[in-house]
Amino acid sequence: MTERELVDQKIRDFMDGLWERGDPWDLENSVYERDRCLQLVEMIKGRRYPRVLEIGCGAGYLTRMLAAHADHIVALDISQTAIDRARSLTTSQAQADFRVGNVMEYKPQVDGPLDLIVFTETICYLGWLYPMFDVAWLAVQLFDATRSGGRLMLANSMDESEDWLLRPWIIRTYRDLFVNVGYTIESEKIHRATKRGVEFEVLMTLYCKPEEGKLGK
């Protein structure tokens, strides 16, 4: 097994282990998570998205909120346990195509062009496990698969005190990466709230891919 395959297996086992114990982030019952997801949905309201990709969908809590604004959603997660749970909780199976897969191996162009990509609370784990070059290459692939005029929503919690994966400087580095590959920022905000006694700031950035003929201007 190659080093890359070992990393892939490590994250699969890690995430499956979390989901096998239930809802590890309390997504379905937490007021914090409900408000966070409502803030994300508020940012993408106002238009219809025919083709949506959600990266790191977990058990589909946010997916079910996105469904009101999308015709078809490819919802991807590395954990088979999470995807099984998502399928069992989601009634409109035709609208949401839940798939098990590692986004680092996924070819977004196959399902493109995409009108909206939703990428929340996931990039911090990719930056932990994979070289920055690989994360940057993923950003390029997502940009290429986005329809001209399409959007990408990137959001991640930031925590100054305990979790090095969530340090603001690294989360803002990921944020800038998507500008560097060609997206422009349409809107951005910081959602502040407390979960389990810990204060978090969630950096939420909605990007737009410039329409053809306007790239680089």
Side-chain angles (χ1 to χ4, degrees):
M1 185 177 289
T2 66
E3 183 177 351
R4 180 61 176 264
E5 289 171 336
L6 286 170
V7 171
D8 293 350
Q9 189 61 54
K10 175 182 177 181
I11 189 62
R12 287 179 193 277
D13 292 344
F14 176 72
M15 289 299 179
D16 267 334
L18 289 177
W19 282 105
E20 284 168 2
R21 294 196 290 273
D23 180 5
W25 291 277
D26 198 22
L27 296 171
E28 295 163 23
N29 300 300
S30 168
V31 173
Y32 170 90
E33 296 295 347
R34 182 202 64 194
D35 290 346
R36 179 183 66 85
C37 289
L38 287 173
Q39 292 285 328
L40 292 169
V41 172
E42 184 67 26
M43 291 183 72
I44 60 100
K45 283 173 60 176
R47 57 179 60 88
R48 189 78 184 170
Y49 302 94
R51 300 187 66 81
V52 176
L53 168 66
E54 184 187 2
I55 300 169
C57 67
Y61 181 76
L62 179 57
T63 317
R64 293 186 284 277
M65 290 186 176
L66 295 171
H69 306 278
D71 295 334
H72 180 74
I73 304 173
V74 174
L76 188 72
D77 199 276
I78 199 168
S79 169
Q80 179 71 61
T81 305
I83 291 297
D84 289 345
R85 185 178 179 87
R87 288 170 178 164
S88 70
L89 293 173
T90 304
T91 56
S92 180
Q93 297 291 342
Q95 190 176 29
D97 177 9
F98 289 104
R99 301 182 191 175
V100 178
N102 184 344
V103 70
M104 303 302 285
E105 306 298 333
Y106 173 67
K107 306 299 182 186
Q109 294 87 350
V110 173
D111 292 302
L114 299 163
D115 301 280
L116 173 66
I117 299 171
V118 178
F119 199 0
T120 70
E121 305 295 341
T122 302
I123 199 167
C124 58
Y125 295 108
L126 300 180
W128 170 45
L129 291 164
Y130 296 95
M132 189 62 181
F133 178 89
D134 290 1
V135 179
W137 182 251
L138 171 63
V140 171
Q141 296 301 301
L142 294 176
F143 181 79
D144 289 345
T146 304
R147 189 185 304 276
S148 175
R151 269 72 177 176
L152 181 143
M153 167 64 75
L154 181 72
N156 216 104
S157 299
M158 300 187 295
D159 178 15
E160 284 277 13
S161 59
E162 295 187 10
D163 194 336
W164 277 93
L165 300 184
L166 305 184
R167 289 299 171 100
W169 56 267
I170 188 65
I171 299 303
R172 292 185 184 278
T173 297
Y174 301 138
R175 176 259 198 196
D176 292 345
L177 171 62
F178 286 88
V179 174
N180 293 339
V181 301
Y183 290 103
T184 59
I185 294 176
E186 183 171 280
S187 61
E188 185 172 74
K189 63 183 174 183
I190 293 179
H191 174 65
R192 295 178 174 86
T194 301
K195 181 177 182 180
R196 298 173 181 169
V198 179
E199 294 183 0
F200 285 99
E201 293 184 339
V202 185
L203 180 62
M204 302 177 174
T205 307
L206 181 64
Y207 304 85
C208 179
K209 180 175 182 176
E211 296 181 10
E212 293 180 5
K214 298 181 180 179
L215 292 172
K217 293 186 178 180

Short mmCIF file of all heavy atoms in Angstrom, two decimals, residues 89-140:
data_model
loop_
_atom_site.label_atom_id
_atom_site.label_comp_id
_atom_site.label_asym_id
_atom_site.label_seq_id
_atom_site.Cartn_x
_atom_site.Cartn_y
_atom_site.Cartn_z
N LEU A 89 -32.12 9.05 6.44
CA LEU A 89 -32.80 10.22 6.97
C LEU A 89 -33.39 11.12 5.90
O LEU A 89 -34.16 12.04 6.21
CB LEU A 89 -31.83 11.05 7.83
CG LEU A 89 -31.34 10.40 9.12
CD1 LEU A 89 -30.25 11.27 9.76
CD2 LEU A 89 -32.50 10.20 10.11
N THR A 90 -33.03 10.90 4.65
CA THR A 90 -33.43 11.78 3.57
C THR A 90 -34.55 11.14 2.76
O THR A 90 -34.39 10.05 2.22
CB THR A 90 -32.24 12.10 2.65
OG1 THR A 90 -31.18 12.65 3.45
CG2 THR A 90 -32.63 13.10 1.58
N THR A 91 -35.68 11.83 2.67
CA THR A 91 -36.84 11.27 1.98
C THR A 91 -36.77 11.46 0.47
O THR A 91 -37.22 10.61 -0.29
CB THR A 91 -38.14 11.91 2.51
OG1 THR A 91 -38.05 13.34 2.36
CG2 THR A 91 -38.34 11.59 3.97
N SER A 92 -36.20 12.57 0.00
CA SER A 92 -36.15 12.86 -1.43
C SER A 92 -34.85 12.32 -2.02
O SER A 92 -33.93 13.06 -2.34
CB SER A 92 -36.26 14.37 -1.67
OG SER A 92 -36.20 14.65 -3.05
N GLN A 93 -34.77 11.01 -2.16
CA GLN A 93 -33.55 10.39 -2.64
C GLN A 93 -33.21 10.77 -4.07
O GLN A 93 -32.04 10.80 -4.47
CB GLN A 93 -33.67 8.86 -2.52
CG GLN A 93 -33.82 8.34 -1.11
CD GLN A 93 -32.56 8.51 -0.27
OE1 GLN A 93 -31.49 8.71 -0.80
NE2 GLN A 93 -32.71 8.47 1.04
N ALA A 94 -34.22 11.08 -4.89
CA ALA A 94 -33.97 11.43 -6.28
C ALA A 94 -33.21 12.74 -6.40
O ALA A 94 -32.45 12.96 -7.34
CB ALA A 94 -35.30 11.51 -7.04
N GLN A 95 -33.42 13.64 -5.44
CA GLN A 95 -32.78 14.95 -5.50
C GLN A 95 -31.35 14.93 -4.98
O GLN A 95 -30.50 15.67 -5.46
CB GLN A 95 -33.60 15.96 -4.70
CG GLN A 95 -33.18 17.40 -4.87
CD GLN A 95 -34.10 18.34 -4.13
OE1 GLN A 95 -34.68 17.97 -3.12
NE2 GLN A 95 -34.23 19.55 -4.63
N ALA A 96 -31.08 14.07 -4.01
CA ALA A 96 -29.75 14.00 -3.40
C ALA A 96 -29.10 12.66 -3.74
O ALA A 96 -29.62 11.61 -3.41
CB ALA A 96 -29.86 14.17 -1.89
N ASP A 97 -27.97 12.74 -4.39
CA ASP A 97 -27.20 11.55 -4.75
C ASP A 97 -26.06 11.42 -3.75
O ASP A 97 -25.00 12.04 -3.89
CB ASP A 97 -26.67 11.72 -6.18
CG ASP A 97 -25.80 10.56 -6.63
OD1 ASP A 97 -25.74 9.54 -5.90
OD2 ASP A 97 -25.17 10.67 -7.70
N PHE A 98 -26.30 10.64 -2.68
CA PHE A 98 -25.30 10.46 -1.63
C PHE A 98 -24.27 9.43 -2.07
O PHE A 98 -24.62 8.32 -2.46
CB PHE A 98 -25.96 10.02 -0.33
CG PHE A 98 -26.77 11.09 0.34
CD1 PHE A 98 -28.15 11.07 0.29
CD2 PHE A 98 -26.14 12.14 1.01
CE1 PHE A 98 -28.90 12.06 0.90
CE2 PHE A 98 -26.88 13.13 1.62
CZ PHE A 98 -28.26 13.10 1.57
N ARG A 99 -22.99 9.81 -1.99
CA ARG A 99 -21.92 8.93 -2.46
C ARG A 99 -20.81 8.85 -1.42
O ARG A 99 -20.47 9.84 -0.78
CB ARG A 99 -21.30 9.47 -3.75
CG ARG A 99 -22.27 9.62 -4.90
CD ARG A 99 -21.51 10.11 -6.13
NE ARG A 99 -22.39 10.52 -7.21
CZ ARG A 99 -21.97 11.08 -8.34
NH1 ARG A 99 -20.66 11.30 -8.50
NH2 ARG A 99 -22.84 11.45 -9.27
N VAL A 100 -20.23 7.66 -1.31
CA VAL A 100 -19.05 7.47 -0.49
C VAL A 100 -17.83 7.74 -1.35
O VAL A 100 -17.69 7.18 -2.44
CB VAL A 100 -18.97 6.03 0.07
CG1 VAL A 100 -17.70 5.84 0.88
CG2 VAL A 100 -20.19 5.71 0.90
N GLY A 101 -16.95 8.64 -0.89
CA GLY A 101 -15.75 8.91 -1.66
C GLY A 101 -14.87 9.94 -0.99
O GLY A 101 -15.33 10.76 -0.21
N ASN A 102 -13.60 9.87 -1.30
CA ASN A 102 -12.62 10.83 -0.83
C ASN A 102 -12.52 11.94 -1.87
O ASN A 102 -12.18 11.69 -3.03
CB ASN A 102 -11.26 10.15 -0.66
CG ASN A 102 -10.21 11.06 -0.08
OD1 ASN A 102 -10.36 12.28 -0.05
ND2 ASN A 102 -9.11 10.48 0.40
N VAL A 103 -12.80 13.17 -1.49
CA VAL A 103 -12.79 14.27 -2.46
C VAL A 103 -11.41 14.44 -3.11
O VAL A 103 -11.32 14.94 -4.23
CB VAL A 103 -13.25 15.58 -1.79
CG1 VAL A 103 -12.21 16.10 -0.80
CG2 VAL A 103 -13.60 16.63 -2.83
N MET A 104 -10.36 13.99 -2.44
CA MET A 104 -9.03 14.12 -3.02
C MET A 104 -8.84 13.18 -4.21
O MET A 104 -7.92 13.36 -5.01
CB MET A 104 -7.95 13.84 -1.96
CG MET A 104 -8.04 14.74 -0.74
SD MET A 104 -7.93 16.50 -1.12
CE MET A 104 -6.19 16.67 -1.46
N GLU A 105 -9.71 12.19 -4.35
CA GLU A 105 -9.67 11.28 -5.49
C GLU A 105 -10.83 11.52 -6.46
O GLU A 105 -10.87 10.94 -7.53
CB GLU A 105 -9.74 9.82 -4.99
CG GLU A 105 -8.68 9.45 -3.96
CD GLU A 105 -7.26 9.57 -4.51
OE1 GLU A 105 -7.10 9.43 -5.74
OE2 GLU A 105 -6.34 9.83 -3.72
N TYR A 106 -11.73 12.39 -6.08
CA TYR A 106 -12.94 12.66 -6.86
C TYR A 106 -12.62 13.54 -8.07
O TYR A 106 -11.75 14.41 -8.00
CB TYR A 106 -13.94 13.35 -5.93
CG TYR A 106 -15.20 13.87 -6.59
CD1 TYR A 106 -16.15 13.00 -7.12
CD2 TYR A 106 -15.44 15.24 -6.65
CE1 TYR A 106 -17.31 13.48 -7.70
CE2 TYR A 106 -16.60 15.73 -7.21
CZ TYR A 106 -17.53 14.85 -7.74
OH TYR A 106 -18.68 15.34 -8.32
N LYS A 107 -13.32 13.31 -9.17
CA LYS A 107 -13.16 14.10 -10.40
C LYS A 107 -14.41 14.95 -10.58
O LYS A 107 -15.41 14.50 -11.15
CB LYS A 107 -12.96 13.18 -11.61
CG LYS A 107 -11.81 12.18 -11.46
CD LYS A 107 -10.47 12.87 -11.28
CE LYS A 107 -9.33 11.85 -11.18
NZ LYS A 107 -8.04 12.50 -10.85
N PRO A 108 -14.40 16.20 -10.09
CA PRO A 108 -15.62 17.02 -10.13
C PRO A 108 -16.09 17.33 -11.54
O PRO A 108 -17.28 17.57 -11.76
CB PRO A 108 -15.23 18.29 -9.37
CG PRO A 108 -13.74 18.35 -9.46
CD PRO A 108 -13.28 16.93 -9.46
N GLN A 109 -15.18 17.31 -12.53
CA GLN A 109 -15.58 17.60 -13.90
C GLN A 109 -16.60 16.59 -14.42
O GLN A 109 -17.42 16.93 -15.30
CB GLN A 109 -14.36 17.62 -14.82
CG GLN A 109 -13.38 18.75 -14.54
CD GLN A 109 -12.35 18.39 -13.48
OE1 GLN A 109 -12.47 17.36 -12.80
NE2 GLN A 109 -11.34 19.23 -13.31
N VAL A 110 -16.57 15.38 -13.88
CA VAL A 110 -17.50 14.34 -14.34
C VAL A 110 -18.95 14.74 -14.05
O VAL A 110 -19.86 14.46 -14.84
CB VAL A 110 -17.17 12.99 -13.65
CG1 VAL A 110 -18.23 11.94 -13.98
CG2 VAL A 110 -15.78 12.52 -14.07
N ASP A 111 -19.19 15.42 -12.94
CA ASP A 111 -20.54 15.84 -12.57
C ASP A 111 -20.82 17.30 -12.94
O ASP A 111 -21.91 17.80 -12.68
CB ASP A 111 -20.76 15.64 -11.06
CG ASP A 111 -20.79 14.18 -10.67
OD1 ASP A 111 -21.64 13.45 -11.22
OD2 ASP A 111 -19.97 13.77 -9.84
N GLY A 112 -19.85 17.98 -13.52
CA GLY A 112 -20.01 19.38 -13.86
C GLY A 112 -20.65 19.58 -15.22
O GLY A 112 -20.99 18.61 -15.91
N PRO A 113 -20.81 20.85 -15.60
CA PRO A 113 -20.42 22.02 -14.82
C PRO A 113 -21.35 22.23 -13.62
O PRO A 113 -22.56 22.01 -13.71
CB PRO A 113 -20.53 23.17 -15.82
CG PRO A 113 -21.55 22.71 -16.81
CD PRO A 113 -21.37 21.22 -16.91
N LEU A 114 -20.77 22.66 -12.51
CA LEU A 114 -21.49 22.79 -11.24
C LEU A 114 -21.91 24.24 -11.02
O LEU A 114 -21.13 25.16 -11.24
CB LEU A 114 -20.61 22.32 -10.09
CG LEU A 114 -20.16 20.85 -10.17
CD1 LEU A 114 -18.99 20.59 -9.26
CD2 LEU A 114 -21.32 19.92 -9.84
N ASP A 115 -23.14 24.41 -10.57
CA ASP A 115 -23.67 25.75 -10.30
C ASP A 115 -23.34 26.22 -8.89
O ASP A 115 -23.29 27.43 -8.64
CB ASP A 115 -25.18 25.76 -10.51
CG ASP A 115 -25.56 25.37 -11.92
OD1 ASP A 115 -25.47 26.22 -12.82
OD2 ASP A 115 -25.91 24.18 -12.14
N LEU A 116 -23.14 25.27 -7.98
CA LEU A 116 -22.80 25.60 -6.60
C LEU A 116 -22.00 24.46 -5.99
O LEU A 116 -22.38 23.29 -6.13
CB LEU A 116 -24.07 25.84 -5.77
CG LEU A 116 -23.88 26.04 -4.26
CD1 LEU A 116 -23.12 27.34 -3.97
CD2 LEU A 116 -25.23 26.04 -3.53
N ILE A 117 -20.90 24.80 -5.33
CA ILE A 117 -20.13 23.85 -4.54
C ILE A 117 -20.19 24.31 -3.09
O ILE A 117 -19.94 25.48 -2.80
CB ILE A 117 -18.67 23.77 -5.01
CG1 ILE A 117 -18.61 23.30 -6.46
CG2 ILE A 117 -17.85 22.83 -4.11
CD1 ILE A 117 -17.22 23.40 -7.08
N VAL A 118 -20.53 23.41 -2.19
CA VAL A 118 -20.63 23.72 -0.77
C VAL A 118 -19.55 22.90 -0.05
O VAL A 118 -19.54 21.67 -0.13
CB VAL A 118 -22.03 23.39 -0.21
CG1 VAL A 118 -22.10 23.68 1.28
CG2 VAL A 118 -23.09 24.20 -0.96
N PHE A 119 -18.67 23.60 0.65
CA PHE A 119 -17.45 22.99 1.19
C PHE A 119 -17.29 23.51 2.62
O PHE A 119 -16.61 24.50 2.87
CB PHE A 119 -16.29 23.45 0.30
CG PHE A 119 -15.03 22.63 0.38
CD1 PHE A 119 -14.92 21.52 1.20
CD2 PHE A 119 -13.94 22.98 -0.41
CE1 PHE A 119 -13.75 20.78 1.25
CE2 PHE A 119 -12.76 22.25 -0.37
CZ PHE A 119 -12.66 21.16 0.45
N THR A 120 -17.94 22.85 3.58
CA THR A 120 -17.98 23.38 4.94
C THR A 120 -17.36 22.39 5.95
O THR A 120 -17.59 21.18 5.87
CB THR A 120 -19.42 23.70 5.38
OG1 THR A 120 -20.16 22.50 5.57
CG2 THR A 120 -20.13 24.56 4.33
N GLU A 121 -16.58 22.95 6.87
CA GLU A 121 -16.00 22.20 8.00
C GLU A 121 -15.24 20.95 7.56
O GLU A 121 -15.25 19.93 8.24
CB GLU A 121 -17.10 21.83 9.01
CG GLU A 121 -17.92 23.00 9.52
CD GLU A 121 -17.11 24.01 10.34
OE1 GLU A 121 -16.02 23.66 10.83
OE2 GLU A 121 -17.58 25.16 10.47
N THR A 122 -14.57 21.04 6.40
CA THR A 122 -13.88 19.88 5.85
C THR A 122 -12.45 20.19 5.46
O THR A 122 -11.55 19.36 5.63
CB THR A 122 -14.64 19.34 4.62
OG1 THR A 122 -15.97 19.00 4.99
CG2 THR A 122 -13.97 18.11 4.04
N ILE A 123 -12.20 21.39 4.93
CA ILE A 123 -10.87 21.68 4.40
C ILE A 123 -9.80 21.65 5.49
O ILE A 123 -8.63 21.37 5.21
CB ILE A 123 -10.88 23.02 3.64
CG1 ILE A 123 -9.66 23.07 2.70
CG2 ILE A 123 -10.95 24.22 4.59
CD1 ILE A 123 -9.71 24.18 1.68
N CYS A 124 -10.19 21.91 6.73
CA CYS A 124 -9.20 21.86 7.83
C CYS A 124 -8.62 20.45 7.99
O CYS A 124 -7.44 20.29 8.31
CB CYS A 124 -9.82 22.34 9.13
SG CYS A 124 -11.27 21.41 9.67
N TYR A 125 -9.44 19.42 7.74
CA TYR A 125 -8.95 18.04 7.84
C TYR A 125 -8.06 17.69 6.65
O TYR A 125 -7.05 16.98 6.80
CB TYR A 125 -10.13 17.07 7.91
CG TYR A 125 -10.96 17.23 9.17
CD1 TYR A 125 -12.23 17.80 9.10
CD2 TYR A 125 -10.48 16.85 10.41
CE1 TYR A 125 -13.00 17.98 10.24
CE2 TYR A 125 -11.24 17.01 11.56
CZ TYR A 125 -12.50 17.58 11.46
OH TYR A 125 -13.26 17.77 12.59
N LEU A 126 -8.42 18.18 5.46
CA LEU A 126 -7.60 17.91 4.28
C LEU A 126 -6.23 18.55 4.43
O LEU A 126 -5.21 17.95 4.07
CB LEU A 126 -8.31 18.44 3.03
CG LEU A 126 -9.68 17.85 2.72
CD1 LEU A 126 -10.24 18.46 1.45
CD2 LEU A 126 -9.63 16.33 2.61
N GLY A 127 -6.20 19.79 4.97
CA GLY A 127 -4.92 20.45 5.18
C GLY A 127 -4.06 19.78 6.22
O GLY A 127 -2.82 19.92 6.21
N TRP A 128 -4.68 19.05 7.12
CA TRP A 128 -3.96 18.29 8.15
C TRP A 128 -3.33 17.03 7.57
O TRP A 128 -2.20 16.67 7.91
CB TRP A 128 -4.95 17.95 9.26
CG TRP A 128 -4.50 16.98 10.30
CD1 TRP A 128 -3.29 16.96 10.95
CD2 TRP A 128 -5.26 15.89 10.83
NE1 TRP A 128 -3.26 15.92 11.86
CE2 TRP A 128 -4.46 15.25 11.81
CE3 TRP A 128 -6.54 15.41 10.59
CZ2 TRP A 128 -4.90 14.15 12.53
CZ3 TRP A 128 -6.99 14.31 11.31
CH2 TRP A 128 -6.17 13.69 12.26
N LEU A 129 -4.04 16.38 6.64
CA LEU A 129 -3.64 15.07 6.16
C LEU A 129 -2.84 15.08 4.87
O LEU A 129 -2.06 14.16 4.60
CB LEU A 129 -4.89 14.19 5.96
CG LEU A 129 -5.61 13.79 7.24
CD1 LEU A 129 -7.01 13.28 6.92
CD2 LEU A 129 -4.82 12.72 7.98
N TYR A 130 -3.03 16.12 4.05
CA TYR A 130 -2.42 16.13 2.72
C TYR A 130 -1.50 17.33 2.54
O TYR A 130 -1.70 18.37 3.17
CB TYR A 130 -3.51 16.16 1.64
CG TYR A 130 -4.38 14.93 1.63
CD1 TYR A 130 -5.60 14.91 2.32
CD2 TYR A 130 -3.99 13.77 0.96
CE1 TYR A 130 -6.40 13.78 2.33
CE2 TYR A 130 -4.79 12.64 0.97
CZ TYR A 130 -5.99 12.65 1.66
OH TYR A 130 -6.78 11.52 1.66
N PRO A 131 -0.51 17.22 1.65
CA PRO A 131 0.36 18.36 1.37
C PRO A 131 -0.44 19.54 0.82
O PRO A 131 -1.48 19.35 0.17
CB PRO A 131 1.34 17.82 0.32
CG PRO A 131 1.30 16.34 0.47
CD PRO A 131 -0.10 16.01 0.91
N MET A 132 0.06 20.75 1.04
CA MET A 132 -0.63 21.93 0.55
C MET A 132 -0.78 21.91 -0.96
O MET A 132 -1.77 22.40 -1.51
CB MET A 132 0.13 23.20 0.99
CG MET A 132 -0.62 24.49 0.71
SD MET A 132 -2.20 24.56 1.63
CE MET A 132 -2.82 26.13 1.07
N PHE A 133 0.19 21.34 -1.66
CA PHE A 133 0.08 21.23 -3.12
C PHE A 133 -1.18 20.46 -3.50
O PHE A 133 -1.89 20.84 -4.44
CB PHE A 133 1.32 20.55 -3.72
CG PHE A 133 1.22 20.37 -5.21
CD1 PHE A 133 1.66 21.37 -6.07
CD2 PHE A 133 0.67 19.21 -5.76
CE1 PHE A 133 1.54 21.22 -7.45
CE2 PHE A 133 0.55 19.05 -7.12
CZ PHE A 133 1.00 20.05 -7.98
N ASP A 134 -1.46 19.37 -2.80
CA ASP A 134 -2.63 18.56 -3.12
C ASP A 134 -3.93 19.33 -2.86
O ASP A 134 -4.89 19.23 -3.62
CB ASP A 134 -2.62 17.27 -2.29
CG ASP A 134 -1.53 16.31 -2.73
OD1 ASP A 134 -0.77 16.67 -3.65
OD2 ASP A 134 -1.42 15.21 -2.15
N VAL A 135 -3.96 20.09 -1.76
CA VAL A 135 -5.15 20.89 -1.45
C VAL A 135 -5.33 21.97 -2.52
O VAL A 135 -6.44 22.24 -2.97
CB VAL A 135 -5.04 21.51 -0.05
CG1 VAL A 135 -6.26 22.37 0.27
CG2 VAL A 135 -4.90 20.40 1.01
N ALA A 136 -4.22 22.58 -2.95
CA ALA A 136 -4.29 23.59 -4.00
C ALA A 136 -4.75 22.98 -5.32
O ALA A 136 -5.53 23.60 -6.07
CB ALA A 136 -2.93 24.26 -4.17
N TRP A 137 -4.29 21.78 -5.61
CA TRP A 137 -4.72 21.10 -6.85
C TRP A 137 -6.22 20.82 -6.81
O TRP A 137 -6.91 20.98 -7.82
CB TRP A 137 -3.93 19.81 -7.02
CG TRP A 137 -4.28 19.08 -8.29
CD1 TRP A 137 -4.97 17.91 -8.41
CD2 TRP A 137 -3.94 19.48 -9.63
NE1 TRP A 137 -5.11 17.54 -9.72
CE2 TRP A 137 -4.48 18.49 -10.50
CE3 TRP A 137 -3.26 20.56 -10.17
CZ2 TRP A 137 -4.34 18.57 -11.88
CZ3 TRP A 137 -3.13 20.65 -11.55
CH2 TRP A 137 -3.66 19.66 -12.39
N LEU A 138 -6.72 20.44 -5.64
CA LEU A 138 -8.17 20.24 -5.50
C LEU A 138 -8.91 21.55 -5.79
O LEU A 138 -9.93 21.56 -6.48
CB LEU A 138 -8.49 19.75 -4.09
CG LEU A 138 -9.99 19.71 -3.73
CD1 LEU A 138 -10.74 18.73 -4.62
CD2 LEU A 138 -10.17 19.35 -2.26
N ALA A 139 -8.41 22.66 -5.27
CA ALA A 139 -9.05 23.96 -5.50
C ALA A 139 -9.12 24.28 -6.99
O ALA A 139 -10.14 24.78 -7.49
CB ALA A 139 -8.30 25.06 -4.75
N VAL A 140 -8.05 23.97 -7.71
CA VAL A 140 -8.03 24.19 -9.16
C VAL A 140 -9.08 23.32 -9.85
O VAL A 140 -9.80 23.76 -10.75
CB VAL A 140 -6.62 23.92 -9.73
CG1 VAL A 140 -6.65 23.93 -11.26
CG2 VAL A 140 -5.63 24.94 -9.22
#
